[in-house]
Amino acid sequence: MKKYYLSKIICLLLLVGVHFSCTSDLDFNQVNDLKLEPVYELNFSYFNVPATAFVASDGTNYQWAYDDEEFDVFRDKYINSYLQRADFYFEITNTIARAFSLNIVLLDANNNMLTTIIMDVPAYSGTANTISQTEIFQNARLELLKSTRKMRFMVAMKPGAVLDENSPGNLILRSSATVYMDIQ
């Protein structure tokens, strides 16, 4: 019988304790103040071209070459609406005894040029030449980037020593992007 009264007393105390416990009002409107600022890092283009790729089968040198890459990441409305800034990083290494110019052309859906990024790459002279460049897209320039649907990589060989099928070296491009978002 004592156990019965003891359990009743404990239940009564718990019931009274719950009645007088501390509570606070919950503010579900705090979700309206939520602000996320994620930063993403992405690799987006790479090539490794040997010196012999600039030599035609008849032994003449190609003076320029280009390659187009689809770049339709900005078709996504989610990314377009939250994108605040994008930093593009380009690094090109030359171990070919010839200077080059690299033009990176951003094109819209109709192949109209939006902007061009130019990198001059000196000839190899015993040590690898590594040139790096960062392009920052913000404000009006960011709007151009959002219109980009294609990137054209144009490599032009500058005057210098003639290359042949035995010419050593490579032209290596690495590129990445750091993208800053603001989600509210």
Side-chain angles (χ1 to χ4, degrees):
M1 184 83 122
K2 258 184 166 180
K3 279 188 173 183
Y4 176 73
Y5 287 118
L6 184 60
S7 64
K8 271 190 147 182
I9 291 172
I10 290 174
C11 287
L12 183 61
L13 286 174
L14 285 174
L15 186 59
V16 169
V18 169
H19 236 1
F20 292 107
S21 66
C22 296
T23 63
S24 63
D25 294 331
L26 296 177
D27 182 9
F28 290 105
N29 289 326
Q30 289 178 11
V31 76
N32 295 332
D33 298 332
L34 179 66
K35 182 176 182 178
L36 302 175
E37 295 177 332
V39 176
Y40 300 100
E41 292 192 22
L42 317 155
N43 293 325
F44 69 85
S45 191
Y46 172 86
F47 64 71
N48 184 348
V49 181
T52 55
F54 294 98
V55 180
S57 59
D58 65 359
T60 60
N61 286 185
Y62 293 114
Q63 295 304 307
W64 64 275
Y66 76 90
D67 183 36
D68 288 349
E69 289 186 17
E70 294 297 319
F71 192 76
D72 60 357
V73 67
F74 298 113
R75 287 186 187 175
D76 186 305
K77 291 180 184 177
Y78 169 79
I79 292 174
N80 256 344
S81 62
Y82 298 124
L83 182 64
Q84 296 299 307
R85 175 179 161 174
D87 298 351
F88 284 10
Y89 176 78
F90 299 97
E91 179 184 277
I92 190 160
T93 302
N94 184 11
T95 59
I96 302 172
R98 189 83 181 256
F100 292 89
S101 177
L102 172 66
N103 294 342
I104 303 157
V105 183
L106 305 183
L107 305 166
D108 67 10
N110 297 318
N111 285 329
N112 296 317
M113 183 180 67
L114 299 171
T115 190
T116 302
I117 301 162
I118 300 170
M119 297 179 70
D120 289 318
V121 185
Y124 174 76
S125 60
T127 58
N129 290 317
T130 300
I131 306 298
S132 61
Q133 185 168 323
T134 301
E135 294 289 322
I136 298 173
F137 293 88
Q138 272 182 285
N139 305 320
R141 198 159 186 230
L142 182 63
E143 293 308 312
L144 283 177
L145 183 63
K146 289 179 180 181
S147 301
T148 301
R149 296 294 175 263
K150 195 182 293 184
M151 293 181 82
R152 178 171 289 160
F153 294 86
M154 300 175 66
V155 178
M157 197 163 34
K158 293 186 174 184
V162 176
L163 300 177
D164 62 31
E165 64 276 350
N166 298 315
S167 294
N170 293 62
L171 194 61
I172 304 167
L173 172 78
R174 293 175 190 87
S175 60
S176 63
T178 304
V179 178
Y180 302 86
M181 310 287 277
D182 186 2
I183 304 169
Q184 295 185 29

